[in-house]
Amino acid sequence: MADDCIGPDVEKLVAEIQEGGVLLLENLMFYKEEEENDPEFAKKLAALADFYVIDGFGTAHRANASTDGVAKHLKPCLAGFLGKKVLFF
């Protein structure tokens, strides 16, 4: 688990992930830039990933950096299993 969700320490941990590994990031709600959908914050988050999967249907409608902002920088953008189930019953 990372102690933050952006920054050089997080970038280093991401670079060290083994194939098939997972890194849990600290809660990004500690940053005001999240709710403000700050483009630079979204870019920093997106730089940590190769693609985007949203499965939090309860938050998918929010225009936050981690939902709307990140999706503008990562392709493909996909719905997860729960999102797909809700959208396509």
Side-chain angles (χ1 to χ4, degrees):
M1 177 169 173
D3 292 335
D4 206 340
C5 61
I6 58 170
D9 292 339
V10 175
E11 292 166 12
K12 183 176 185 254
L13 291 170
V14 168
E16 295 172 352
I17 295 174
Q18 300 289 321
E19 185 172 332
V22 174
L23 176 64
L24 182 63
L25 302 179
E26 181 55 80
N27 190 339
L28 47 81
M29 294 300 290
F30 294 125
Y31 285 86
K32 66 178 174 31
E33 293 89 345
E34 161 64 355
E35 283 191 40
E36 295 172 354
N37 197 5
D38 180 89
E40 288 305 311
F41 184 68
K43 243 189 237 185
K44 290 176 186 177
L45 292 171
L48 303 172
D50 296 320
F51 55 89
Y52 180 69
V53 177
I54 186 160
D55 205 33
F57 189 76
T59 60
H61 67 282
R62 296 182 186 157
N64 290 350
S66 65
T67 53
D68 178 62
V70 168
K72 293 176 181 172
H73 299 284
L74 290 169
K75 301 293 182 239
C77 297
L78 308 161
F81 295 120
L82 178 60
K84 185 177 175 183
K85 182 177 179 181
V86 171
L87 291 172
F88 302 107
F89 347 132

